[in-house]
Amino acid sequence: TVKLASKYLGSGETYKVEIRKRGVEFGKMDIVRAIAREIAKMGNKVKLEHPHKIIQVEVFPIITGISVIEEYDIFETKR
């Protein structure tokens, strides 16, 4: 995660971490804290509203997916 973040997070850019998990017993906040602790070493700060980048982590029993996106990359459908 940190290797990917360092590739896509610019110096001084803010970020937030979003976790989606299914079928695993890890706590969401444990995952967020572990990621934030490592990214803090790069000098980037957490910003929960309107960050420069969003680190999305999806955790499944046999695979984990990670994306680093910008807020405008997210779209929602109205139901």
Side-chain angles (χ1 to χ4, degrees):
T1 303
V2 176
K3 190 174 188 178
L4 180 68
S6 68
K7 186 174 179 180
Y8 293 101
L9 268 177
S11 177
E13 286 188 315
T14 58
Y15 72 96
K16 75 175 178 179
V17 179
E18 293 181 349
I19 307 291
R20 293 183 185 96
K21 64 185 192 84
R22 289 186 209 112
V24 294
E25 295 191 22
F26 301 116
K28 284 184 179 183
M29 286 310 297
D30 293 332
I31 298 168
V32 169
R33 283 186 194 106
I35 293 169
R37 183 174 39 249
E38 293 303 313
I39 293 177
K41 295 176 185 176
M42 298 172 12
N44 297 83
K45 304 262 186 217
V46 172
K47 184 177 179 189
L48 299 179
E49 292 192 30
H50 308 296
H52 292 104
K53 301 286 172 64
I54 300 169
I55 300 172
Q56 289 185 328
V57 181
E58 298 204 26
V59 183
F60 299 93
I62 59 172
I63 193 166
T64 298
I66 301 167
S67 301
V68 179
I69 62 172
E70 295 186 26
E71 211 168 14
Y72 67 81
D73 292 327
I74 298 173
F75 67 92
E76 294 183 31
T77 58
K78 301 262 182 196
R79 291 187 183 176

